[in-house]
Amino acid sequence: MDQKKSKSSSPRIKVIQKIYNSLMNPDSKIDYPKSQFKKFIKDVVTGTIERSDLIEETVVLHLSNDINLKKSDKLLKIILFAAIYELMFKHNTPKKVIISEYVSASEHFLEKIQIGYLNAILDKIAKELRKDA
């Protein structure tokens, strides 16, 4: 499998796309086609959407000096929320893997400067949320 194909089939890219689609079309049902990552994608998408208030509180608590959610790019916010959901609730995935995967996935959606910003923010909040690892 070539590098380009495997990169665009990342489950985190699908997560970002599903959450974005859900926000843009709130009345439409989210469908999850067959995939080896279907359970993971569905779990992260529904978890992020259902716990968005808790995630937002976490961002305000730990990152209020670093990011203004009201002024942030919608895609940046979606990626940030999905990554924070994983940091909070997917303890079997190392924080470095979560950060690396979302930074890599963000290359499909964000400008280079936004990707660096996302990386810094995720690194900072990961240290707060996962003091153990």
Side-chain angles (χ1 to χ4, degrees):
M1 190 181 325
D2 68 78
Q3 191 65 28
K4 198 78 172 158
K5 174 120 174 62
S6 66
K7 218 176 180 187
S8 65
S9 62
S10 157
R12 272 45 177 226
I13 291 173
K14 298 281 183 242
V15 165
I16 295 162
Q17 291 170 332
K18 300 277 182 208
I19 295 171
Y20 183 83
N21 192 37
S22 167
L23 292 176
M24 294 295 110
N25 308 298
D27 299 330
S28 70
K29 182 182 176 291
I30 303 171
D31 65 320
Y32 299 94
K34 268 192 171 177
S35 150
Q36 70 188 70
F37 303 112
K38 181 179 177 176
K39 184 183 178 323
F40 171 82
I41 293 168
K42 188 173 184 176
D43 185 38
V44 175
V45 170
T46 54
T48 302
I49 293 169
E50 288 171 0
R51 294 180 177 89
S52 65
D53 291 341
L54 174 65
I55 295 168
E56 190 164 337
E57 286 173 27
T58 304
V59 170
V60 170
L61 180 68
H62 296 293
L63 299 170
S64 59
N65 296 331
D66 301 300
I67 189 169
N68 180 341
L69 291 175
K70 289 175 181 44
K71 293 182 180 177
S72 290
D73 178 80
K74 195 176 291 280
L75 274 166
L76 177 69
K77 190 174 163 183
I78 289 168
I79 296 167
L80 180 66
F81 275 42
I84 291 172
Y85 169 81
E86 280 197 55
L87 288 167
M88 292 172 80
F89 299 104
K90 296 283 188 186
H91 295 280
N92 55 346
T93 309
K95 66 182 179 183
K96 285 185 177 175
V97 171
I98 294 170
I99 293 169
S100 163
E101 289 285 322
Y102 278 101
V103 167
S104 178
S106 71
E107 292 172 5
H108 291 270
F109 305 103
L110 303 176
E111 301 290 323
K112 194 169 186 146
I113 192 157
Q114 290 175 301
I115 296 167
Y117 179 60
L118 175 72
N119 190 20
I121 287 177
L122 288 177
D123 199 46
K124 182 173 182 178
I125 199 156
K127 287 181 175 111
E128 292 297 322
L129 297 176
R130 298 249 191 117
K131 293 187 190 309
D132 56 332

